[in-house]
Amino acid sequence: MTTCQPSHPPVAVDPDLIREEMPQAMQEARRCLLYRNAPGPGFNSPSRKLPVYADGTARSGKLDSERDMERLVTLEEALIALERFPGYGLGFALGPSDKPGEVWQGVDFDKVSQHPELLPLLDMAPGYREKSPSGDGYHIIGRGAPFAALGSNKTGIEAYCGGRFFTFTGEAIGGGVFRPGAYVAGGAPPLFLVKTPRGGGGPPPPPPPP
């Protein structure tokens, strides 16, 4: 008989810390949701982070459709929902913003203990930066022009401007709502090759000014 690895609960967030560290534009954006952890699909599989709307139902259907976006909430609404669903975590959905031509976008640095070469790139990165729930990675979130996404690969870096959500801890290491997409598409991180996801990701923006 095979079993899955046990699921570990999401990192509990401190509402006061979140309000202090999360850029105001992100707090006001209706892009927040919750998530819960669930066992992986097979033997020895890691747990999965499943997105959940603030009413407790699983996020489903076409992402960033009108129906989906109507169910995403502001930070304050998400914090209220966390009180109703103890053991859940806070997430931020990447995708459309209220700024024409701009989307919420993110870069994920994973397993930095295995990729020490990523740390200088992290220091260069624009956007809001914080530790991920694992304690061994970092998330960068910002807003800017769409770019071609970088999916899972061996470098430890992924980058998206939609179709994903990032867990949110509030353990900030600095930054504000800048444009990480320009950093990705401009070639600042020389370790990876940007790939276009299924359905495209929009044209890359020009490199950031020196």
Side-chain angles (χ1 to χ4, degrees), residues 121 124 180-192 194 204-208:
L121 301 180
M124 295 165 54
Y183 162 80
V184 172
L191 300 179
F192 58 77
V194 173

Side-chain angles (χ1 to χ4, degrees), residues 114-140:
Q114 300 175 27
H115 299 279
E117 69 277 7
L118 298 184
L119 292 176
L121 301 180
L122 177 67
D123 291 337
M124 295 165 54
Y128 169 78
R129 297 172 291 164
E130 67 166 31
K131 288 185 178 180
S132 62
S134 69
D136 195 26
Y138 297 89
H139 290 158
I140 303 166

Side-chain angles (χ1 to χ4, degrees), residues 107-175:
V107 183
D108 183 13
F109 286 72
D110 195 26
K111 296 183 175 63
V112 294
S113 61
Q114 300 175 27
H115 299 279
E117 69 277 7
L118 298 184
L119 292 176
L121 301 180
L122 177 67
D123 291 337
M124 295 165 54
Y128 169 78
R129 297 172 291 164
E130 67 166 31
K131 288 185 178 180
S132 62
S134 69
D136 195 26
Y138 297 89
H139 290 158
I140 303 166
I141 302 174
R143 187 176 60 197
F147 59 87
L150 174 74
S152 180
N153 63 90
K154 296 180 180 180
T155 68
I157 302 176
E158 298 177 38
Y160 303 98
C161 58
R164 296 288 191 282
F165 79 97
F166 275 11
T167 56
F168 203 93
T169 64
E171 296 185 41
I173 59 170

Side-chain angles (χ1 to χ4, degrees), residues 64-126:
D64 295 325
S65 65
E66 183 176 348
R67 175 174 171 76
D68 177 60
M69 291 194 292
E70 285 176 350
R71 303 184 72 184
L72 300 175
V73 297
T74 65
L75 172 65
E76 286 303 319
E77 291 172 295
L79 292 177
I80 292 172
L82 281 175
E83 296 178 0
R84 296 172 50 215
F85 300 103
Y88 283 38
L90 176 66
F92 190 88
L94 308 178
S97 80
D98 60 353
K99 297 287 185 181
E102 295 190 346
V103 295
W104 290 104
Q105 48 198 225
V107 183
D108 183 13
F109 286 72
D110 195 26
K111 296 183 175 63
V112 294
S113 61
Q114 300 175 27
H115 299 279
E117 69 277 7
L118 298 184
L119 292 176
L121 301 180
L122 177 67
D123 291 337
M124 295 165 54

